[in-house]
Each structure stands twice: as structure tokens, then as C-alpha cells.
Amino acid sequence: MKKACGTKKQGGPTRTLTAWWNEEIKEVIQTKKKLFKEWVKSKNEEDYIQYRLARRDAKRKTRLSKEASWKKYGEDLSAMCQTSTRDFYKSVKAMRVRDNPFDPTSVVNDPKGQPLYEDDLITGRWEEYFYDLLNPAGILDIGEGFDPSQLTTKSPIS
């Protein structure tokens, strides 16, 4: 039977599904849940205030952890793109296969191709980009040498 059907490997390495989940987040969520249960039992205003503060803290820490996780992922992708393009594309493909929606980081490259992560530098780069885009250098000014009397009324199809 074993020779005909083969064997199946069970178990294997465990993999964390979220890079932002860590012990600090776990403790904050557990504290929030505990305070919620206490408030449900007591219906006391003080317990509700403690629960709301814990909930606010849990949301803030979770958001910061997620942002840091995406930022690290973006930095890793930038480094991988320069060192190993094959691994870069594998990582991008693995990210796109997921059922979860894609949440990219807000990384913008400077004119030299280096990624920018600070908000003020990103804003400055967008300003520079659109200024260059909307004010091109080297194109003749239409106002110079334009004579509308030289326009022909012939159809371009003829």
C-alpha cells in the first residue's frame, strides 16, 4: 500500500500570516478584551472609560505596527530589486496571489532612483515632478513666430 500510494508529509514549518503581529500587539489586544469583558459584566462608567482607552491604544499600536511592517517590506523590495531581480519578482508575485487586497506603501523615488520615505521629501518630490512635467524646457514658445495668416484651410485628409 505504501509503495502504491506513497506517504504524506504532515505538519511542516509554521508561518505567520501577518508581519505586523508581535508580542506587544498581542498583549495590548488581550488587555483590551479583558477590559471589555469587565465592562460588560459591570456596566460601570469607569470600566467603560478604561475599555475605551485600551481600545484606542490597541488601534494606534496596530496601525503603527502595520505602517512599520509595510515600510520595512518596501525597503526590502527596493534592496531586492537592486541585488536580485528574480527574488524581487517572486516576492511581488507572491504578494499579488493573496486573497487580501494589496496595500502598498507610499514610496516615491528621487531623481536618482533612491526611495524616499519621509512625507516632506515625498511632497517635495511630487512638486518637483509636476513642475518639470508642466513646465518643459527646450520647447519653443508658441507665441514666437506664430502667424495665423499662414494657416491653410485645406483638410488634412486631402
Side-chain angles (χ1 to χ4, degrees), residues 32 41-42 51 54-55 67 76-77 79 88 97 127 151 155:
K32 178 190 68 118
K41 285 181 183 177
S42 71
Y51 163 66
R55 184 177 63 189
E67 288 174 1
D76 292 346
L77 276 181
F88 169 77
V97 171
E127 288 175 7
L151 292 175
S155 171

Side-chain angles (χ1 to χ4, degrees), residues 16 30 55 89 104 124 126 129 137:
T16 57
Q30 285 176 346
R55 184 177 63 189
Y89 285 111
W126 278 116
Y129 170 76

Side-chain angles (χ1 to χ4, degrees), residues 35-43:
L35 290 172
F36 176 75
K37 288 178 183 179
E38 288 177 10
W39 171 65
V40 168
K41 285 181 183 177
S42 71
K43 295 293 183 189

Side-chain angles (χ1 to χ4, degrees), residues 10 24 31 61 77 117 150:
Q10 292 187 351
E24 180 186 10
T31 303
K61 288 188 179 181
L77 276 181
Y117 298 104
Q150 293 180 354

Side-chain angles (χ1 to χ4, degrees), residues 19-136:
W20 54 268
W21 186 264
N22 56 30
E23 289 299 318
E24 180 186 10
I25 301 294
K26 184 178 178 180
E27 290 173 10
V28 171
I29 298 294
Q30 285 176 346
T31 303
K32 178 190 68 118
K33 285 182 179 182
K34 183 183 76 144
L35 290 172
F36 176 75
K37 288 178 183 179
E38 288 177 10
W39 171 65
V40 168
K41 285 181 183 177
S42 71
K43 295 293 183 189
N44 188 352
E45 187 174 345
E46 291 176 12
D47 290 339
Y48 180 65
I49 291 171
Q50 287 181 347
Y51 163 66
R52 282 183 43 209
L53 293 173
R55 184 177 63 189
R56 184 183 311 156
D57 188 43
K59 281 186 179 184
R60 184 180 59 81
K61 288 188 179 181
T62 302
R63 179 178 41 84
L64 292 174
S65 181
K66 285 181 180 182
E67 288 174 1
S69 171
W70 277 111
K71 184 176 179 180
K72 182 182 180 308
Y73 183 70
E75 290 170 352
D76 292 346
L77 276 181
S78 294
M80 204 182 305
C81 181
Q82 294 175 356
T83 58
S84 173
T85 55
R86 181 180 179 129
D87 292 338
F88 169 77
Y89 285 111
K90 278 184 180 179
S91 180
V92 170
K93 182 179 178 184
M95 180 178 58
R96 293 185 69 206
V97 171
R98 294 184 189 161
D99 293 335
N100 299 338
F102 174 60
D103 185 16
T105 59
S106 57
V107 177
V108 176
N109 290 337
D110 65 3
K112 296 177 184 175
Q114 298 300 318
L116 302 172
Y117 298 104
E118 291 79 26
D119 290 336
D120 55 342
L121 294 176
I122 291 172
T123 304
R125 177 61 182 130
W126 278 116
E127 288 175 7
E128 178 185 345
Y129 170 76
F130 281 110
Y131 182 81
D132 292 344
L133 182 68
L134 299 174
N135 301 309

Side-chain angles (χ1 to χ4, degrees), residues 8-15:
K8 180 179 178 183
K9 181 180 177 183
Q10 292 187 351
T14 58
R15 174 176 85 102

Side-chain angles (χ1 to χ4, degrees), residues 1-8:
M1 176 80 168
K2 187 175 183 181
K3 189 174 185 180
C5 296
T7 59
K8 180 179 178 183

